């Protein structure tokens, strides 16, 4: 069981091509890191996988546990086990965090079954506590007026509530303070399991010191140009991306 | 006039003078109804409202003299407060005669001809009714009730009015809300429509130094028109009028809302927030006007109309207006109509919520915002009280 991306080409709708043949395999149970210079296509890759309407797939495929990801709607992909913690989580005025999560969990229930409200709130509160979030956030509109770090934490909370099989974290560390980074990393580590994989997109070694990846990829100009072990992180930290750019 | 009381000469003169004034006003009023034309396309207050279709249809059934077909129920912790409107109550009828409308004098005139149904709430001085008072009007034919609410100085209450129409029915309600100094009143009106049902409301809010929060919601009517005239006649600290509305319009429904916020005197605040979710071939019309009369200095008056369009076929006409004849006035009006934010929809669907449910969550939240503000404002003034 894995997430398999083959020769994926994608572009901004009616615009520039951003992904130029991505090949990636994320087996269940592993943590992969994706690094790469600004603008290389990391966020685009994750949004294309989720089905963001701004992009279109030109060619290539993506399979999630054997299912054709691109044949599914955005919500189906989520229910199939894919999760993306966004680089820039969106504000949704008028919809409270609690109602949002209830709807998302209800959507995963078999037809005719109702989510138990009491245990739902209990679970949400306890997860918020583990992320050091104010319990009053349940009643606040999704990300509305949240600080940068609060938004990131909220996305991680959603991940914890939804229990995905494949979680992509797009620069979750940017905007988090030192303590929050530690709390969030601990949360992610606690979720590491043989039935779950993580793709961690980041610019910094610091996060990957907390959440040790099994495999590290470098994305550059819309392609995976390097795949190696954890040692690649240290090399990038020391030398930057020049050694990769000069080879391309 | 009753001379059996022992009045001094001056008092008798004053009374006679007042009565003469009232008679003159009533005469003018009846003249006004005689002169009034059924709204047509030259009537500016019916712009976009298809008067040839809707006003004419309403006038036609009102003229037929079909008997009222409706029922009233009232839930109130203090039964002393509630009185049914009776056809013989001339004094009450006079208050209707003097009511302003927004372009619908002729229709009000026809309503008055049917006067005799409805509920009168007399909220007594410095008394608080804790449980909300619930008035329900229901009809499966034509019903033309009148709601009169008098909040004496210092009275506090929450009133819910529910109007329910069966298929094809028509409800035309005239409402008068008087709020005296220091009174705190929240009134919410929920219109529940059905297939081919119609409703119209003419509401006049007279604020004489109290705080009033007014909320309306419409759902399901084929056609609904609302004329709400909110007037400040006397101000003391904390005097305010807040008007909220939250509506869903779908199918081929039309919601035609008109508001006047009129500040006859300075030192008071009025605020309006009307929100609509418009789907399918639905049409929302909002025409609001703030008028700050000459000399009504230090007035704050705001008005916002916001529409969420769920379909490309949905229509919105938003006509906010301001007339300011005084100084040191803070006024603003704004109107915005937009489709559901695609980024927000994507975000919700990316967590597994279907697109339809995501849209529903966003629409519900959009409308709840208006209701929540109404409740929050009421809870705040209600618990803290008005400044002394
Ligand atoms: N919706 C869009 N419209 C126009 N250009 C876009 C859009 N999305 C992405 N791009 C462009 O595609 C390129 C890749 O962007 P992307 O956000 O995927 O980069 P990234 O690798 O995530 O960078 P960063 O490290 O800065 O987050 C950039 O040049 C960006 O400007
Ligand atoms: Mg990015």
């Amino acid at each position: 069981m894995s997430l398999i991306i083959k020769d994926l080409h994608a572009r901004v709708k009616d615009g520039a091509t951003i992904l130029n043949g991505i090949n990636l395999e994320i087996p269940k149970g592993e943590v992969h890191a994706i690094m790469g210079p600004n603008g290389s296509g990391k966020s685009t890759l994750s949004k294309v996988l989720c089905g963001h309407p701004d992009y279109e797939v030109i060619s290539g495929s993506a399979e999630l546990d054997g299912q054709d990801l691109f044949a599914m709607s955005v919500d189906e992909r989520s229910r199939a086990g894919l999760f993306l913690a966004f680089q820039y989580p969106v504000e949704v005025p008028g919809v409270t965090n609690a109602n949002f999560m209830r709807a998302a969990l209800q959507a995963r229930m078999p037809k005719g079954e109702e989510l138990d409200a009491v245990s739902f709130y209990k679970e949400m509160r306890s997860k918020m506590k583990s992320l050091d979030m104010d319990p009053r956030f349940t009643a606040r509109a999704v990300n509305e007026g949240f600080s940068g770090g609060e938004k990131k934490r909220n996305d991680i909370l959603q991940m914890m509530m939804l229990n995905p099989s494949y979680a992509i974290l797009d620069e979750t560390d940017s905007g988090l303070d030192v303590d929050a980074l530690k709390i969030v990393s601990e949360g992610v580590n606690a979720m590491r399991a043989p039935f779950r994989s993580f793709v961690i997109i980041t610019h910094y070694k610091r996060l990957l010191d907390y959440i040790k990846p099994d495999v590290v990829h470098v994305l550059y100009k819309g392609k995976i140009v390097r795949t190696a072990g954890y040692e690649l992180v240290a090399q990038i930290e020391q030398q930057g991306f020049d050694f990769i750019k000069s080879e391309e | 006039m009753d001379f059996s009381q022992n009045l001094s000469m001056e008092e008798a003169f004053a009374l006679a003078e007042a009565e003469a004034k009232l008679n003159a006003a009533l005469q003018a009023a009846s003249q006004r109804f005689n002169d009034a034309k059924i709204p047509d396309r030259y009537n500016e207050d019916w712009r976009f409202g298809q008067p040839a279709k809707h006003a004419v249809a309403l006038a036609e059934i009102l003229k037929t003299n079909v008997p009222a077909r409706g029922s009233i129920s009232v839930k109130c912790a203090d039964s002393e407060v509630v009185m049914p409107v009776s056809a013989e109550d001339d004094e009450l009828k006079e208050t209707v005669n003097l009511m302003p409308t927004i372009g619908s004098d002729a229709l009000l005139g026809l309503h008055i001809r049917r006067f005799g149904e409805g509920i009168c709430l007399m909220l007594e001085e410095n008394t608080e009714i804790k449980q909300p008072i619930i008035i329900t009007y229901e009809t499966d034919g034509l019903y033309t009730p009148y709601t009169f609410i008098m909040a004496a100085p210092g009275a506090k209450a929450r009133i819910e009015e529910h109007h329910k129409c069966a298929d094809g029915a028509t409800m035309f309600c005239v409402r008068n809300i008087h709020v005296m100094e220091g009174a705190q009143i929240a009134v919410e009106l929920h219109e529940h429509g059905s297939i081919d049902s119609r409703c119209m409301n003419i509401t006049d809010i007279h604020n004489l130094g109290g705080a009033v929060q007014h909320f309306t919601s419409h759902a399901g009517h084929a056609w609904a028109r609302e004329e709400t005239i909110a007037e400040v006649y006397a101000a003391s600290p904390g005097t305010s009028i807040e008007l909220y509305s939250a509506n869903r319009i779908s199918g081929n429904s039309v919601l035609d809302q008109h508001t006047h916020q009129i500040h006859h005197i300075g030192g008071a605040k009025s605020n309006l927030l009307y929100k609509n979710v418009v789907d399918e071939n639905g049409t929302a019309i909002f025409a609001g006007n703030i008028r700050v009369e000459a000399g009504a200095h230090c007035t704050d008056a705001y008005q916002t109309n916001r529409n969420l369009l769920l379909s490309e076929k949905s229509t919105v006409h938003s006509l906010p207006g301001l007339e300011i004849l005084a100084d040191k006035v803070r006024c603003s009006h704004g109107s915005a109509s937009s489709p559901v934010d695609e980024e927000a929809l994507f975000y919700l669907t990316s967590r597994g919520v279907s697109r339809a449910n995501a849209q529903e969550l966003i629409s519900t939240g959009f409308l709840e915002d208006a209701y929540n503000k109404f409740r929050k404002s009421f809870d705040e003034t209600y618990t803290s009280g008005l400044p002394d």
Side-chain angles (χ1 to χ4, degrees):
Chain A
M1 298 297 244
S2 20
L3 171 62
I4 303 167
I5 300 158
K6 282 190 188 145
D7 198 26
L8 175 59
H9 294 255
R11 65 174 165 230
V12 177
K13 247 176 211 161
D14 308 317
T17 298
I18 315 288
L19 304 181
N20 296 302
I22 303 259
N23 287 292
L24 257 184
E25 179 167 354
I26 321 281
K28 272 232 171 105
E30 292 188 2
V31 174
H32 288 223
I34 298 181
M35 303 186 79
N38 292 133
S40 57
K42 303 179 297 297
S43 295
T44 302
L45 170 62
S46 38
K47 287 199 262 183
V48 166
L49 291 176
C50 288
H52 193 288
D54 282 359
Y55 306 97
E56 60 190 352
V57 174
I58 304 164
S59 61
S61 66
E63 262 181 26
L64 189 91
D65 296 339
Q67 301 176 75
D68 178 0
L69 203 56
F70 297 147
M72 291 187 245
S73 63
V74 178
D75 51 315
E76 284 168 346
R77 295 178 201 199
S78 164
R79 295 197 298 273
L82 183 68
F83 182 91
L84 169 59
F86 292 92
Q87 184 171 3
Y88 303 107
V90 178
E91 300 194 6
V92 190
V95 180
T96 66
N97 281 310
N99 282 347
F100 176 28
M101 278 301 99
R102 274 178 81 160
L105 287 169
Q106 183 65 52
R108 287 164 166 78
M109 307 277 289
K111 252 210 160 93
E113 268 182 50
E114 275 288 321
L115 189 71
D116 179 63
V118 177
S119 50
F120 161 76
Y121 273 100
K122 219 169 133 187
E123 187 174 335
M124 183 139 173
R125 292 248 163 71
S126 95
K127 297 212 150 118
M128 288 173 87
K129 200 170 169 197
S130 76
L131 288 169
D132 199 19
M133 285 172 79
D134 186 335
R136 281 172 301 188
F137 275 42
T138 49
R140 276 183 62 177
V142 176
N143 296 330
E144 195 182 31
F146 283 30
S147 76
E150 285 168 348
K151 285 180 181 170
K152 297 288 186 147
R153 254 188 255 206
N154 202 23
D155 260 25
I156 296 301
L157 171 70
Q158 291 166 20
M159 177 183 79
M160 289 177 157
M161 293 296 291
L162 299 179
N163 262 311
S165 335
Y166 298 91
I168 306 170
L169 310 189
D170 190 358
E171 294 196 28
T172 293
D173 49 341
S174 73
L176 288 183
D177 65 43
V178 191
D179 298 326
L181 183 70
K182 196 162 170 247
I183 289 167
V184 165
S185 307
E186 278 164 4
V188 170
N189 282 331
M191 282 180 77
R192 283 177 85 149
F195 51 84
R196 188 172 3 248
S197 330
F198 287 93
V199 175
I200 313 274
I201 297 171
T202 183
H203 290 293
Y204 304 106
K205 182 170 173 290
R206 208 177 39 179
L207 178 67
L208 300 175
D209 287 341
Y210 282 119
I211 311 170
K212 268 242 161 110
D214 302 300
V215 183
V216 179
H217 308 275
V218 175
L219 183 64
Y220 181 54
K221 291 187 173 165
K223 266 184 159 160
I224 300 291
V225 294
R226 191 69 62 99
T227 296
Y230 179 68
E231 67 284 353
L232 186 55
V233 179
Q235 192 183 358
I236 291 167
E237 181 91 352
Q238 280 162 19
Q239 307 175 14
F241 290 110
D242 279 352
F243 70 99
I244 284 164
K245 288 179 185 167
S246 59
E247 283 170 24
E248 290 301 305
Chain B
M1 198 183 297
D2 183 3
F3 285 104
S4 61
Q5 301 159 39
N6 290 324
L7 295 177
S8 73
M9 241 351 209
E10 277 125 72
E11 282 169 330
F13 272 125
L15 254 178
E17 203 175 320
E19 186 161 333
K21 259 191 198 161
L22 181 63
N23 281 335
L26 288 175
Q27 208 146 25
S30 70
Q31 191 56 42
R32 144 185 176 223
F33 296 126
N34 290 339
D35 293 348
K37 270 173 72 183
I38 302 298
D40 57 21
R41 65 200 175 93
Y42 302 107
N43 185 328
E44 265 302 298
D45 291 316
W46 279 77
R47 224 175 133 200
F48 302 115
Q50 299 180 308
K53 191 170 166 192
H54 301 297
V56 168
L58 183 60
E60 286 306 314
I61 36 167
L62 289 170
K63 281 178 186 166
T64 54
N65 291 325
V66 292
R69 270 182 72 93
S71 66
I72 302 177
S73 78
V74 185
K75 261 198 234 162
C76 180
D78 181 355
S79 57
E80 300 271 288
V81 161
V82 186
M83 278 181 297
V85 168
S86 109
E88 281 75 55
D89 193 336
D90 289 334
E91 230 174 288
L92 201 58
K93 198 171 169 181
E94 281 157 13
T95 62
V96 196
N97 267 316
L98 299 175
M99 269 180 70
T101 74
I102 304 176
S104 300
D105 276 7
L107 297 172
L108 179 63
L110 291 170
H111 188 280
I112 291 168
R113 282 178 29 186
R114 304 176 59 92
F115 181 83
E117 298 281 341
I119 285 295
C120 211
L121 295 179
M122 302 296 246
L123 304 162
E124 283 164 39
E125 202 163 331
N126 295 321
T127 48
E128 174 181 351
I129 297 179
K130 289 234 163 65
Q131 295 293 321
I133 302 168
I134 301 170
I135 302 172
T136 308
Y137 298 138
E138 249 175 289
T139 182
D140 57 359
L142 169 66
Y143 203 42
T144 51
Y146 174 51
T147 305
F148 181 84
I149 300 168
M150 164 61 78
K156 281 185 183 183
R158 237 189 84 198
I159 296 134
E160 272 179 38
E161 219 176 302
H162 294 269
H163 296 176
K164 295 179 183 168
C165 277
D167 291 358
T170 301
M171 175 91 68
F172 178 14
C173 185
V174 170
R175 306 162 73 235
N176 233 316
I177 302 169
H178 285 257
V179 184
M180 309 294 285
E181 189 172 352
Q184 290 161 48
I185 298 299
V187 186
E188 52 190 276
L189 166 64
H190 298 271
E191 284 287 352
H192 312 271
S194 197
I195 299 166
D196 286 333
S197 66
R198 287 184 278 221
C199 79
M200 177 156 173
N201 287 291
I202 301 176
T203 303
D204 186 27
I205 301 170
H206 265 242
N207 191 343
L208 297 151
V212 52
Q213 286 97 20
H214 189 258
F215 173 86
T216 68
S217 83
H218 287 79
H221 282 293
W223 176 75
R225 180 170 168 106
E226 222 183 62
E227 296 176 16
T228 306
I229 303 117
E231 301 178 83
V232 182
Y233 281 100
S236 52
T239 296
S240 66
I241 297 181
E242 286 166 63
L243 305 174
Y244 300 93
S245 189
N247 311 288
R248 266 177 203 272
I249 305 143
S250 60
N252 292 310
S253 296
V254 176
L255 174 62
D256 190 7
Q257 292 182 299
H258 298 256
T259 63
H260 282 176
Q261 290 157 261
I262 308 172
H263 290 259
H264 296 280
I265 195 155
K269 191 180 164 185
S270 72
N271 192 14
L272 176 148
L273 176 64
Y274 274 36
K275 289 183 131 184
N276 298 311
V277 172
V278 193
D279 199 0
E280 300 166 342
N281 284 307
T283 303
I285 303 156
F286 170 80
N289 194 38
I290 294 175
R291 187 175 166 91
V292 182
E293 300 285 7
H297 307 303
C298 303
T299 291
D300 284 2
Y302 308 101
Q303 182 193 71
T304 308
N305 171 229
R306 289 195 61 201
N307 300 286
L308 198 57
L309 292 128
L310 301 189
S311 159
E312 283 179 6
K313 293 186 208 140
S314 314
T315 309
V316 167
H317 300 287
S318 187
L319 312 159
L322 284 177
E323 279 175 78
I324 301 172
L325 310 171
D327 307 322
K328 280 206 277 181
V329 166
R330 280 193 292 182
C331 278
S332 73
H333 64 182
S335 130
S337 302
S338 60
V340 178
D341 177 16
E342 277 298 328
E343 278 298 318
L345 267 182
F346 171 70
Y347 190 72
L348 298 188
T349 50
S350 81
R351 301 307 185 225
V353 180
S354 71
R355 202 178 153 89
N357 278 351
Q359 191 157 292
E360 183 55 32
L361 277 173
I362 292 172
S363 308
T364 305
F366 179 80
L367 294 179
E368 270 177 1
D369 170 59
Y371 186 72
N372 291 343
K373 285 188 170 127
F374 159 77
R375 283 304 301 270
K376 188 164 170 260
S377 167
F378 175 69
D379 291 341
E380 277 168 9
T381 44
Y382 208 88
T383 46
S384 66
L386 293 176
D388 291 322

